[in-house]
Amino acid sequence: MRVRPALALALAPLALTALSVGPGVAVPAAVAAESPCPWVGSTAPSAERAAKLLAAMTLDDKIQMVHGTAAPLAPYGPVQAGQVAANGRLCIPALTATDGPAGIGNAATGVTQLPAPIALWATWDRDLARRYGAVIGEEARGKGANLALGPGIDIARDPRAGRHFEDLGEDPELVSELAVAETHGIQSQGVLATAKHLAAYTQETSRNTDAGDARVDERTLQELYLAPYEKLVAAGVDSVMCSYNKVNGVHACNDTYTMTQVLKGQMGFRGFTVSDWFGMHASVASANAGLDLQMPDACYYDTRLRTALAEKRVAPQRLDGMVTRIVTPMFERGVFDRPATGTPGARVTTTANAQVGRDVAAAGTVLLKNDGLLPLDPATTRSIAVIGSAAGRNALGSGGGSAHVIADRITTPLQALSAEAARTGASFTSYTGALPSVAADKARGADVAVVVVSKLMTESKDEWDLQLSLTDRLVLEAVTRANPNTVVVLDTGAPVDVSPARGAKALLSAWYPGQDYGTVLADLLYGRRNPSGRLPVTFPASQAQLPAAARDRFPGGDHAEGLAVGYRWYAQQGLTPAFAFGSGLSYTTFSYSDLVVGAEQADGSFPVSLTVRNTGSRAGSTVPQLYADQPAGVAATPRALKDFAKIELAPGGSRRVTLTVTARDLSHWDTSQDRWVRAAGDHALWVGDSSRDLPLRGTAHVAATTATSAATPPAPAGSTAGNETAGESVKDAFVCGAGGFMAGGVGLASYFGLPAQQQAVVAPTDTTSTTATGTQVP
Ligand code: BGC
């Protein structure tokens, strides 16, 4: 699609290119030590250092600290996502933000293109999540940034949502456990992490406009969409980004309930909230609702905020609170104390970081079906045909939008599998064109056909349906008819309708697997790595099965399915999906046995142990999953995931594994008390290796009903429901005309989408490996 220049300008910051920002002022340690800035290099607690700094700040200093430096229509350049200016007089370094959740974005090069977050979540591996976060932190810092705009912790409510590949799955337990590990990884590198997007951000259509409204009941909001923030807050996440949608009629970036009452009150968040880019719609209301930092521009939080302070419509204490919340994590991550290093042009990818990407891609690829075809045996695989443009020039290592990452180069399936054929002396042929008859002819004579199909998903635009392209569907049907030994590989950001692949013997979901796509795929197909991914989302059997299938739900915004999102919906409705949440195959087999629910511990948790055994002949990993029911009497609570572990075992090996259900795990949100409550009674516990295969059963008996969280505090005195009056909104939109235009542009893009982005500096091609010497299949 060609984008008109004016619109292109308006849309650019949305995702693709980075914003031009003011120059950062580095504070070398030596200078800092001599400077009149006692908060620099101090060993005092961060809160004390922040208080000292605050006492030295003028109104101008404070105002400068609560907004970004970019003018909305400034020219764009490859310089991060945005910046809060440095303040040389007070030795405050610039706060420089970079996207995003899948590695360094903003059109940067020389970075590691990690697999998409959905692939990380499919690993169900906390340690890999920490390593993934550490790569992001390290590379952000190498690029001169100190604020990473991730992890994204939106719940994957519908596979048609444009940012589904950035989502971490359909279950809050899985999402929060891995996001905590990723956050620790990012923050271990001295970089602030940002959990996003608060709250109930489940679609792109109408985003950032008045029409984009998530209507969600309180219990669902708490148990599903807000719950991941609680663990992130407890883990010390530095910042939280508000979202483009409205929550029950109020723009998220001026919503008192989610930002102040829940996040800062109920959950005790000490860091700062930051607006999504051009996601603000108000100044006074945002400040009073709890939004601390405007990004990337200054319109609402410069002159407008000064006026509001002068008119006493925003209290000076509130401005102090905003600044304190921003500088405290900067002290905690050492941002004040180290010389600013790194530049946007630096090459930051390393061999070690690429290895993390490969490990995640391998562990996150889910083997959905295998009728004895995989792993391929080089002795019997004497000829191989690789089909599909996504095996070559259209290979997708990354999704689109602000989570897009540009690899140096992508090793394609075509290259890796042709090299494999050369290595094993097999003959090799390929076809990346669109004609089903030619694809079938190529596949027919081969011992094995591998078909790679793809679907590009991107921020800014939802998908209409779950279908693969017509070409991919026809090619799949033709090839699977022509060759019974067909492997289908999905290079997609979300579940798709896999019925055209029904004739295949093996099916894998590789998601967007990052820069070493082909290498990892060859390792998996030939069994050098054993698949261990488990689905973090349900694959529906048809679009009609989706919890939000009705248009008023998606993209209409009515979350009437309530808690019944993902596997909870299929259980509630008695539907059989194509592939269940938590499922995934291996080249070996496992057994689970001897479940014991231990006595309740002093903290109210129950240990749940079982024996896991590798009953096959290969080393491999499995993921025992623990689910719990509420006792009879707690209305409409579906069975839900509470804990899991990723266990690696040698053939024949076994291990006693202990999972835990905490008191909070057994709780539900009580709307009459505005808090979590653990109900007395028998809570059934289930363990198995997917949400639909739970052979082991136990019980946690809870003697008395108790509260397990603080109650949501009431809205602070004087705050409104969140929105400014109609008159004030009009005034804001007038004063922040450019910002308003940008916000409108963001909404507009949700209908038309944006052009596809570059996958790699050296674009993938249909060229096979130069080392391939195998003879061609006729
Ligand atoms: C996205 C954010 C992102 C920001 C900065 C917005 O379009 O919604 O997730 O961090 O841009 O690029």
Side-chain angles (χ1 to χ4, degrees), residues 108-403:
T109 54
V111 301
T112 306
Q113 186 191 55
L114 293 165
I118 189 84
L120 174 63
W121 259 247
T123 68
W124 294 58
D125 187 326
R126 295 172 179 89
D127 187 51
L128 278 177
R130 190 194 45 74
R131 291 172 61 202
Y132 184 100
V135 171
I136 293 174
E138 181 193 310
E139 296 197 1
R141 207 164 143 184
K143 288 286 189 186
N146 45 28
L147 175 63
L149 302 176
I153 56 170
D154 300 314
I155 293 288
R157 171 181 179 240
D158 194 289
R160 294 165 295 176
R163 299 183 82 167
H164 187 284
F165 69 96
E166 286 184 60
D167 291 342
L168 306 170
E170 65 192 26
D171 181 86
E173 166 71 15
L174 179 63
V175 167
S176 47
E177 280 295 304
L178 272 73
V180 163
E182 183 183 336
T183 297
H184 283 149
I186 294 172
Q187 296 186 172
S188 72
Q189 302 301 305
V191 169
L192 283 68
T194 307
K196 65 189 191 184
H197 307 82
L198 189 77
Y201 176 40
T202 53
Q203 65 179 57
E204 297 302 282
T205 307
S206 308
R207 73 189 208 149
N208 215 16
T209 69
D210 280 349
D213 184 15
R215 298 176 302 284
V216 201
D217 68 85
E218 180 189 316
R219 183 166 170 203
T220 302
L221 202 52
Q222 286 281 352
E223 289 196 17
L224 221 50
Y225 298 104
L226 296 174
Y229 288 91
E230 187 173 3
K231 279 197 184 167
L232 268 287
V233 167
V237 70
D238 294 315
S239 72
V240 168
M241 186 186 287
C242 55
S243 54
Y244 282 140
N245 55 295
K246 287 177 160 182
V247 183
N248 292 321
V250 180
H251 280 294
C253 290
N254 51 291
D255 183 23
T256 305
Y257 179 70
T258 49
M259 288 191 292
T260 294
Q261 294 175 251
V262 177
L263 188 71
K264 296 179 179 179
Q266 176 192 322
M267 297 179 182
F269 177 57
R270 319 280 319 153
F272 63 91
T273 51
V274 53
S275 72
D276 199 343
W277 268 226
F278 303 106
M280 285 178 73
H281 296 262
S283 44
V284 176
S286 279
N288 289 337
L291 180 68
D292 301 314
L293 174 62
Q294 169 171 17
M295 284 301 272
D297 64 325
C299 191
Y300 287 106
Y301 272 3
D302 192 347
T303 314
R304 297 277 296 127
L305 187 56
R306 285 173 201 269
T307 309
L309 286 157
E311 290 172 354
K312 302 199 180 331
R313 303 185 61 217
V314 172
Q317 295 85 340
R318 173 67 192 120
L319 179 63
D320 288 355
M322 291 155 79
V323 175
T324 303
R325 283 176 174 278
I326 296 165
V327 297
T328 305
M330 290 173 70
F331 281 118
E332 264 156 30
R333 302 292 150 236
V335 172
F336 276 84
D337 303 328
R338 60 179 187 242
T341 53
T343 57
R347 183 179 169 76
V348 291
T349 183
T350 63
T351 314
N353 292 355
Q355 183 62 45
V356 174
R358 279 194 292 278
D359 290 348
V360 170
T365 297
V366 185
L367 179 61
L368 295 167
K369 177 180 178 185
N370 185 18
D371 287 347
L373 181 59
L374 297 178
L376 298 177
D377 179 355
T380 51
T381 309
R382 303 313 305 146
S383 57
I384 177 165
V386 173
I387 312 285
S389 70
R393 64 183 183 280
N394 288 333
L396 297 174
S398 171
S402 59

Side-chain angles (χ1 to χ4, degrees), residues 75 122 135 143 264 276 297 334 418 462 513 522 531 577 615 617 648 699 738 747 756 770:
V135 171
K143 288 286 189 186
K264 296 179 179 179
D276 199 343
D297 64 325
S418 60
D462 294 322
T615 50
S617 53
E648 192 179 347
T699 304
T770 48

